[in-house]
Amino acid sequence: MLYPKKDFPFKSEDFKSPSSEYRGVPFWAWNCHVTKDRIEKQIENFQIMGMGGAMLHPRTGMDTPYLSDEYMQLVEYSEEELRKKGMYCWLYDEERFPSGCAGGIVTRNLAYRSRTMIIARDIPIPEYIVRDKIEFDRLIALGEKPRGYRLCDYDITLEDGYLFSYRISENGAYHAYIELMEESGWFNGETYSDVFNPDATREFLRVTHEKYYETLKGHAGSSVPAIFTDEPHMKGKYCLAFPDSKRASLAFNEDMNDAFKAKWGVSIVDIAPELVWEKPDGYSVWRYRYH
């Protein structure tokens, strides 16, 4: 699609004056008040610099609401101006990065917010962590924004830094809970998305990719060759600095936990300590299955 001459012998002219599909494409940072006049002037400069197109990249400072009607009109205008000059309009599927939350639009729904399983010792459980999943869901239904919920406690015995034994208990020294990502200005007052949740990803594709396609569908695959997705990633998994460190975190969501239990007969919560600490007799099969 991008390289129509790839099946033909190159000629020296192709190197001396390559066509647009073989030229560089810069990230075009939209980080100011974007206007049609600015678009025209900057595209003209890209052409003078020898670029084959530009990749529209919303960044901090853009004062046009992301994915608004005004924003999409500017995207459409940019594609038209690039096409007039024989250049390509590449798309970028997020406001800033990483891709996945549509600048926080997706994660206005708390069900789609990135979350982490915490195992902590000798650290007070944050006050914003509610007593259980039932209470968590009840508060969400009331329009509130709980940050997480308790799972269980563990009795854990370490010997020489290795995991000697563990069990779920009511009042163990180690507390396990789910913590939603903290709201951030980077995500416009929302959070990153839970990439392990297929519904969250479907919503992201609907909000972004489908909207771009609806606006530019007559040119998708031609003057709009592709859409760039940037660093979608899981949150939460960090190794302990030392075996007696006080806080561990694990990538987690409820669907993953249910799927793990359906396949292996135990939940991630049941065997979580084996994901954190080394066993004295070798590797943990549960850690392997979790990954």
Side-chain angles (χ1 to χ4, degrees):
M1 178 183 72
L2 299 180
Y3 306 106
K5 300 176 184 177
K6 66 181 183 298
D7 295 326
F8 300 94
F10 279 109
K11 300 176 182 178
S12 60
E13 291 79 10
D14 294 326
F15 289 91
K16 292 178 181 178
S17 182
S19 49
S20 290
E21 67 268 28
Y22 296 101
R23 291 176 176 267
V25 179
F27 271 165
W28 183 10
W30 285 18
N31 55 2
C32 59
H33 180 60
V34 182
T35 65
K36 290 184 177 181
D37 182 58
R38 274 194 167 133
I39 287 170
E40 289 179 16
K41 289 179 180 178
Q42 292 186 10
I43 289 176
E44 182 177 349
N45 286 334
F46 290 146
Q47 187 179 43
I48 292 171
M49 294 164 68
M51 300 298 175
M55 182 176 293
L56 282 57
H57 189 358
R59 295 300 299 259
T60 300
M62 183 179 74
D63 66 355
T64 304
Y66 181 56
L67 297 178
S68 65
D69 290 344
E70 180 185 359
Y71 172 84
M72 297 309 296
Q73 288 168 7
L74 292 170
V75 169
E76 189 172 23
Y77 185 75
S78 298
E79 187 280 328
E80 291 174 357
E81 291 301 302
L82 286 163
R83 178 161 39 88
K84 287 178 184 177
K85 296 182 180 296
M87 301 166 73
Y88 289 96
C89 178
W90 291 70
L91 302 176
Y92 183 98
D93 71 356
E94 187 56 82
E95 183 180 19
R96 305 180 187 94
F97 55 88
S99 298
C101 68
I105 295 172
V106 170
T107 48
R108 290 170 187 166
N109 184 337
L110 268 66
Y112 297 156
R113 292 188 170 190
S114 179
R115 59 205 59 207
T116 303
M117 180 179 178
I118 305 296
I119 300 178
R121 175 180 63 87
D122 298 334
I123 300 175
I125 297 175
E127 294 182 359
Y128 53 72
I129 301 298
V130 302
R131 63 175 179 265
D132 54 30
K133 182 67 161 53
I134 294 174
E135 178 67 4
F136 178 78
D137 291 338
R138 186 186 73 82
L139 292 172
I140 290 177
L142 292 174
E144 299 186 29
K145 290 186 174 183
R147 282 279 310 282
Y149 60 92
R150 293 190 65 166
L151 288 169
C152 66
D153 287 348
Y154 295 104
D155 287 327
I156 292 175
T157 302
L158 302 177
E159 292 189 1
D160 296 326
Y162 291 97
L163 179 66
F164 183 76
S165 67
Y166 67 93
R167 68 182 182 90
I168 293 176
S169 68
E170 290 187 3
N171 295 293
Y174 291 82
H175 311 298
Y177 55 91
I178 302 304
E179 183 175 65
L180 270 61
M181 184 178 179
E182 186 176 2
E183 293 176 346
S184 166
W186 186 260
F187 303 106
N188 298 318
E190 307 297 341
T191 77
Y192 187 53
S193 62
D194 178 6
V195 297
F196 291 117
N197 184 335
D199 290 334
T201 299
R202 292 187 191 100
E203 179 64 4
F204 169 68
L205 294 175
R206 184 191 69 80
V207 169
T208 55
H209 289 224
E210 294 298 333
K211 187 159 190 174
Y212 277 117
Y213 181 75
E214 185 60 32
T215 300
L216 302 170
K217 60 185 176 183
H219 307 288
S222 55
S223 59
V224 183
I227 189 167
F228 184 97
T229 193
D230 197 1
E231 300 180 354
H233 63 277
M234 67 180 186
K235 291 284 186 182
K237 188 169 191 310
Y238 296 97
C239 297
L240 294 175
F242 302 97
D244 59 353
S245 296
K246 295 184 177 182
R247 189 179 189 272
S249 60
L250 294 165
F252 178 95
N253 80 359
E254 294 78 12
D255 182 70
M256 182 199 308
N257 195 48
D258 292 343
F260 192 92
K261 186 171 185 177
K263 184 166 186 177
W264 302 113
V266 298
S267 73
I268 293 171
V269 177
D270 294 331
I271 50 82
E274 294 195 36
L275 310 182
V276 176
W277 286 274
E278 300 288 349
K279 297 177 64 178
D281 56 350
Y283 72 90
S284 167
V285 68
W286 296 121
R287 184 183 293 183
Y288 174 81
R289 289 170 175 171
Y290 166 81
H291 284 292

